[in-house]
């Protein structure tokens, strides 16, 4: 676990600890991998000057070190050779989880429960964040609030909100978006 420490005092990597989406969050939206969906999140472009380093490992390291609160990536890239597959999800999950963060799919399901088959070219839609609560709040308040995102997910056959998302929507007296 040597890679989880930084500095000569071996300070352990920690996420920011942010638990909710309140307008002050610092989220990187992967413009390349989210394709036409990325412009739906201009609030993150303005706050981070449109920063997208196009390196998933760097984006996740920024979340793991607490310099960013979240990272959103999908498989909506126009270049099918650049999509995120299982062999990338495992190390990404480990880095985020060991620093105190969480990874959920776009339906709010924890990636720790996701079956990753390295033999198949299954792609992933991921929210990595400072805490599980932050990720769930992002899915409910930002991601599934956009009808275009829900329509995209339904078109891919991946729109299946988790029980946690449905409960959170019910707590807010909202229904899942329809398209």
């Amino acid at each position: 676990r040597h890679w989880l420490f930084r500095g000569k005092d071996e300070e352990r990597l920690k996420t920011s600890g942010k638990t909710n989406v309140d307008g002050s969050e610092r989220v990187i939206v992967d413009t390349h991998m989210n394709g036409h969906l990325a412009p739906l999140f201009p609030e993150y472009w303005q706050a981070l000057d449109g920063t997208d380093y196009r390196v998933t490992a760097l984006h996740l390291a920024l979340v793991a070190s607490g310099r960013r609160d979240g990272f959103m990536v999908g498989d909506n890239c126009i270049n099918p050779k650049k999509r995120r597959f299982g062999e990338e999800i495992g190390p990404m999950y480990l880095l985020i989880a060991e620093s105190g963060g969480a990874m959920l799919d776009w339906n709010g399901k924890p990636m720790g429960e996701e079956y990753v088959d390295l033999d198949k070219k299954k792609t992933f839609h991921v929210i990595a964040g400072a805490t599980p609560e932050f990720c769930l709040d992002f899915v409910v308040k930002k991601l599934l609030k956009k009808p275009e995102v829900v329509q995209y997910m339904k078109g891919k056959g991946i729109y299946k909100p988790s029980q946690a998302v449905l409960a959170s929507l019910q707590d807010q007296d909202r229904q899942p978006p329809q398209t």
Side-chain angles (χ1 to χ4, degrees):
R1 295 190 183 194
H2 176 51
W3 51 272
L4 286 175
F5 298 94
R6 63 176 168 203
K8 52 185 163 180
D9 295 331
E10 292 197 3
E11 178 186 337
R12 188 178 177 99
L13 284 178
K14 292 182 213 169
T15 67
S16 68
K18 190 159 185 64
T19 59
N20 66 334
V21 173
D22 60 10
S24 68
E25 64 276 359
R26 301 161 301 156
V27 176
I28 298 172
V29 175
D30 190 324
T31 58
H32 190 62
M33 297 306 293
N34 288 312
H36 73 282
L37 300 175
L40 298 174
F41 303 92
E43 62 271 33
Y44 302 117
W45 288 95
Q46 295 162 356
L48 299 175
D49 298 323
T51 302
D52 175 2
Y53 300 107
R54 292 195 178 189
V55 179
T56 299
L58 176 57
H59 294 151
L60 291 164
L62 290 170
V63 173
S65 69
R67 293 188 176 134
R68 295 292 181 264
D69 301 311
F71 171 58
M72 180 181 121
V73 64
D75 81 337
N76 192 28
C77 181
I78 56 174
N79 180 355
K81 294 180 181 178
K82 285 293 292 170
R83 296 189 173 153
R84 301 287 174 251
F85 298 112
E87 61 270 12
E88 293 179 275
I89 296 298
M92 290 168 30
Y93 175 77
L94 181 62
L95 177 66
I96 295 298
E98 288 292 321
S99 63
M103 284 178 61
L104 304 182
D105 68 14
W106 286 13
N107 286 300
K109 181 181 175 188
M111 293 301 291
E113 298 172 10
E114 182 71 43
Y115 176 71
V116 179
D117 190 345
L118 299 180
D119 294 333
K120 296 182 180 167
K121 291 298 183 182
K122 178 180 179 182
T123 57
F124 296 87
H125 295 75
V126 177
I127 304 296
T131 61
E133 298 84 4
F134 176 83
C135 292
L136 183 61
D137 211 33
F138 188 88
V139 168
V140 171
K141 290 183 180 173
K142 294 292 181 177
L143 197 63
L144 296 183
K145 193 175 183 180
K146 312 271 185 190
E148 299 91 341
V149 173
V150 173
Q151 183 179 12
Y152 163 79
M153 291 172 69
K154 285 182 176 181
K156 288 270 203 182
I158 61 169
Y159 182 71
K160 300 170 185 131
S162 68
Q163 290 299 320
V165 166
L166 294 173
S168 185
L169 288 169
Q170 190 174 33
D171 287 347
Q172 295 179 20
D173 206 28
R174 285 182 33 209
Q175 294 298 315
Q178 303 296 314
T179 56

